[in-house]
Amino acid sequence: MRSATSKITTPTTTTTTTTAAMNTSPKRCKYQYCATAAADDSHKLTDSNNESTLLPGLPNHLAQLCLCSLHPSLLHRVCRSWRRFIYSPSFPPFFSLYTLLSSKSPLPEPKNQDQDQNQLNPFQFFSLDPISSTWRRLPFPPSDPLLHLLHRHPSFISRTIPIQSLTVSGRLVLIAATGHQFLPALSHPLAFDPISSQWFFGPPLPTPRRWCAVGSAGGSVYVASGIGSHYDSDVARSVEKWDMKKKKIEWNWEKMASLKDGRFSREAVEAVEYRGKLCMVNVKGHAVKQGAVYDMEKNRWENMPEGMIGGWNGPAAMGGEDRLYVVDEANGVLSKYDSENDSWEEVVDSPEILRGAQHITAGGGRVCVVCGGGERIAVVDVVATPPRIWVVNPPEGREVVAVHILPRMNLPEW
């Protein structure tokens, strides 16, 4: 298998290994997590085989409490039973990279009608385990209906067709895309839960759309503007909210305060949560653009500060602790927003790596950027002083469409 990590040297940094790609785990007390999980799941690691004994002389539920305090990379190096443990529900989930990948070359025609159509889909979902530096394919999405997405088309030689996805409450959500005949590809959001390793559908969209603004905050998904099967001014101004915290039988799309016009249906853009508000611009890059800020508590739209919109020249993401990042796609500069001065502070200037940024995600002290036409993922350690940067390569024969940071999948049978 192709190595997931490439070592590079930049003017600002020297890289480290893929293991450093993520901080260990989401914010949750490890002992609390292990105490709860051990009571529920310790039997899964217990049998008469010595291989399943975590620490000789200790019951597994007590051994789990001891091992939970160690970094998973240390446990991975020791023995098979400890490697199994860090991928079990009993161990606090550490962060991993999740990607939507596209095949670089046309796939072969099906040999027969019974052949699994998922196997022939040019789009696949993969997760990169930062502990073992291994790409793992996610379970295939439901085949009914079969997922048909467009990312490239002869009519659009110089650009790709957007596929919009996001993360909310530790889950990956595919929300909007273009299908055959240039119609919206998704009538329902398609979501993946890493902990259960299962796909599920969200509530039907009142108007399936593409070229919209999508974002998440407070356990809810927001979809604003966009184009349905044809342009409609009401759809272009509409804002819908799906509260995933509700019980599944109560899931629906709630209408929120509308945009003042339909200018946000020009491009597929991200709506980034920052200090309790959703921030977005209507055009990517250095083009003249409009910005808008949605106050979720007051359900109203506000103007974006001039300094914020002036430096929003590429894909953006929220990195936790009120840190809003943007990559200048033309100049290859990663910057962080300073709200006190309404300005952008440079974090990393690396044009040879970050120029042409297409998608960005942040979490666990890392900012991950899809660049090079999907040929690579640049990982920036924004906690280190000075920040470090290195490159992660996708699996052979595939290019990256989108990247996200989520808890690792449970692999109890690993």
Side-chain angles (χ1 to χ4, degrees):
M1 178 177 291
R2 182 181 180 184
S3 172
T5 306
S6 297
K7 291 187 177 181
I8 53 176
T9 301
T10 74
T12 56
T13 179
T14 303
T15 63
T16 61
T17 62
T18 306
T19 304
M22 301 291 132
N23 277 346
T24 317
S25 58
K27 291 183 178 179
R28 182 174 180 180
C29 174
K30 289 187 175 183
Y31 288 105
Q32 178 185 0
Y33 187 101
C34 284
T36 303
D40 296 335
D41 300 316
S42 63
H43 67 280
K44 296 181 181 180
L45 291 171
T46 303
D47 57 31
S48 58
N49 192 327
N50 290 334
E51 178 110 359
S52 298
T53 301
L54 294 175
L55 290 174
L58 277 182
N60 273 355
H61 71 281
L62 294 180
Q64 291 174 14
L65 294 176
C66 297
L67 296 177
C68 276
S69 63
L70 300 177
H71 195 283
S73 63
L74 297 176
L75 302 180
H76 187 272
R77 300 170 190 168
V78 177
C79 61
R80 179 175 174 83
S81 62
W82 288 13
R83 286 194 292 271
R84 290 182 60 215
F85 173 53
I86 66 175
Y87 296 107
S88 76
S90 302
F91 192 83
F94 47 85
F95 285 121
S96 297
L97 283 180
Y98 287 76
T99 59
L100 172 60
L101 303 178
S102 174
S103 176
K104 289 183 178 180
S105 56
L107 296 176
E109 293 294 328
K111 296 179 180 179
N112 54 68
Q113 293 183 346
D114 296 329
Q115 189 170 355
D116 188 352
Q117 292 299 308
N118 272 317
Q119 299 277 359
L120 301 175
N121 195 321
F123 297 97
Q124 304 287 347
F125 294 88
F126 279 76
S127 172
L128 175 62
D129 178 357
I131 304 303
S132 63
S133 299
T134 302
W135 285 102
R136 304 184 191 277
R137 189 195 307 269
L138 270 62
F140 289 120
S143 57
D144 186 17
L146 192 64
L147 198 61
H148 288 293
L149 308 176
L150 283 180
H151 187 52
R152 299 188 185 278
H153 192 275
S155 299
F156 297 87
I157 298 177
S158 62
R159 66 179 301 170
T160 57
I161 301 173
I163 300 173
Q164 294 177 266
S165 56
L166 49 82
T167 59
V168 56
S169 299
R171 288 172 261 187
L172 170 65
V173 180
L174 187 64
I175 192 74
T178 300
H180 297 304
Q181 299 180 344
F182 290 92
L183 296 175
L186 297 166
S187 60
H188 299 64
L190 178 61
F192 178 75
D193 184 351
I195 303 302
S196 65
S197 295
Q198 292 183 343
W199 290 92
F200 60 92
F201 286 105
L205 287 154
T207 303
R209 63 192 75 187
R210 55 200 179 97
W211 303 92
C212 50
V214 299
S216 65
S220 296
V221 176
Y222 292 84
V223 177
S225 195
I227 299 175
S229 57
H230 60 278
Y231 178 81
D232 182 282
S233 59
D234 290 334
V235 173
R237 296 177 59 250
S238 68
V239 180
E240 313 275 355
K241 171 186 172 182
W242 166 30
D243 187 351
M244 294 184 69
K245 301 187 301 297
K246 293 182 178 179
K247 296 179 180 179
K248 188 173 182 179
I249 59 173
E250 299 175 349
W251 280 353
N252 66 342
W253 288 95
E254 179 184 357
K255 286 189 175 296
M256 311 306 290
S258 298
L259 292 157
K260 64 180 182 180
D261 54 48
R263 295 181 183 180
F264 284 84
S265 61
R266 293 175 57 183
E267 271 200 85
V269 297
E270 59 274 347
V272 184
E273 190 272 333
Y274 180 67
R275 296 189 172 182
K277 300 180 180 182
L278 284 175
C279 307
M280 61 188 191
V281 296
N282 68 333
V283 179
K284 295 181 179 180
H286 284 255
V288 177
K289 57 180 69 70
Q290 288 82 38
V293 176
Y294 175 67
D295 188 322
M296 294 173 286
E297 183 178 350
K298 298 179 180 179
N299 188 29
R300 70 181 187 188
W301 288 93
E302 304 170 353
N303 293 326
M304 179 177 285
E306 291 184 6
M308 177 182 282
I309 192 173
W312 199 309
N313 296 318
M318 183 67 180
E321 299 181 1
D322 291 335
R323 294 179 179 176
L324 174 61
Y325 295 98
V326 68
V327 179
D328 189 316
E329 59 186 49
N331 299 321
V333 177
L334 173 67
S335 301
K336 179 177 64 175
Y337 182 63
D338 178 359
S339 59
E340 292 185 5
N341 298 309
D342 189 24
S343 61
W344 293 88
E345 174 188 340
E346 182 180 301
V347 177
V348 169
D349 183 358
S350 184
E352 67 276 19
I353 299 175
L354 298 177
R355 184 179 286 132
Q358 298 171 309
H359 190 258
I360 179 178
T361 188
R366 310 292 185 263
V367 175
C368 303
V369 186
V370 178
C371 42
E375 292 286 336
R376 61 181 181 267
I377 302 170
V379 182
V380 183
D381 181 349
V382 292
V383 177
T385 305
R388 297 176 295 168
I389 184 170
W390 62 95
V391 166
V392 173
N393 298 314
E396 191 72 35
R398 296 189 177 273
E399 62 183 19
V400 186
V401 177
V403 62
H404 300 283
I405 297 175
L406 288 165
R408 61 97 176 98
M409 290 187 291
N410 285 334
L411 301 172
E413 303 302 324
W414 186 83

